[in-house]
Amino acid sequence: MDKTLGYLREILSNYTDKHAEGKLLYKKLIEGNYDSEETFVRNLNRKEVDFLNKILPDEIKYALAEQDKLRAYQLNEVYELLI
């Protein structure tokens, strides 16, 4: 799994308890054999895209607040693919 998908997996793990969509996306990411974030995004349905569009801006802001520019950049890569 590439680094970007690793960051995405990590943030999705925070949404598995209270969000059914987060749990499904986490499972999809873990069980899928995705070699890039582009491959992963191409396999998302509208509901999954909407969920990621909802959570990623806050996660990117959090990464920037923590001065983790690499993480923010990688998550932004996924966010841009969703648009």
Side-chain angles (χ1 to χ4, degrees):
M1 179 176 292
D2 78 357
K3 193 170 211 157
T4 303
L5 291 177
Y7 286 129
L8 188 58
R9 181 185 66 202
E10 184 179 330
I11 66 158
L12 284 172
S13 71
N14 296 324
Y15 293 88
T16 58
D17 289 341
K18 296 182 182 179
H19 301 276
E21 200 62 46
K23 188 173 189 172
L24 292 172
L25 271 169
Y26 181 79
K27 184 177 179 181
K28 185 176 199 171
L29 184 57
I30 296 297
E31 292 177 355
N33 205 7
Y34 302 105
D35 58 353
S36 71
E37 63 273 13
E38 187 174 342
T39 307
F40 177 69
V41 169
R42 283 189 201 156
N43 287 298
L44 298 177
N45 63 39
R46 185 78 242 157
K47 196 173 185 181
E48 293 166 335
V49 168
D50 290 344
F51 181 78
L52 286 176
N53 275 327
K54 182 179 174 186
I55 68 167
L56 280 175
D58 290 336
E59 294 295 337
I60 293 166
K61 286 178 194 173
Y62 178 78
L64 289 172
E66 293 295 314
Q67 298 182 356
D68 191 345
K69 292 179 184 179
L70 178 60
R71 179 188 184 101
Y73 174 80
Q74 297 289 341
L75 293 175
N76 192 61
E77 290 285 312
V78 175
Y79 188 59
E80 287 179 358
L81 289 171
L82 296 171
I83 299 173

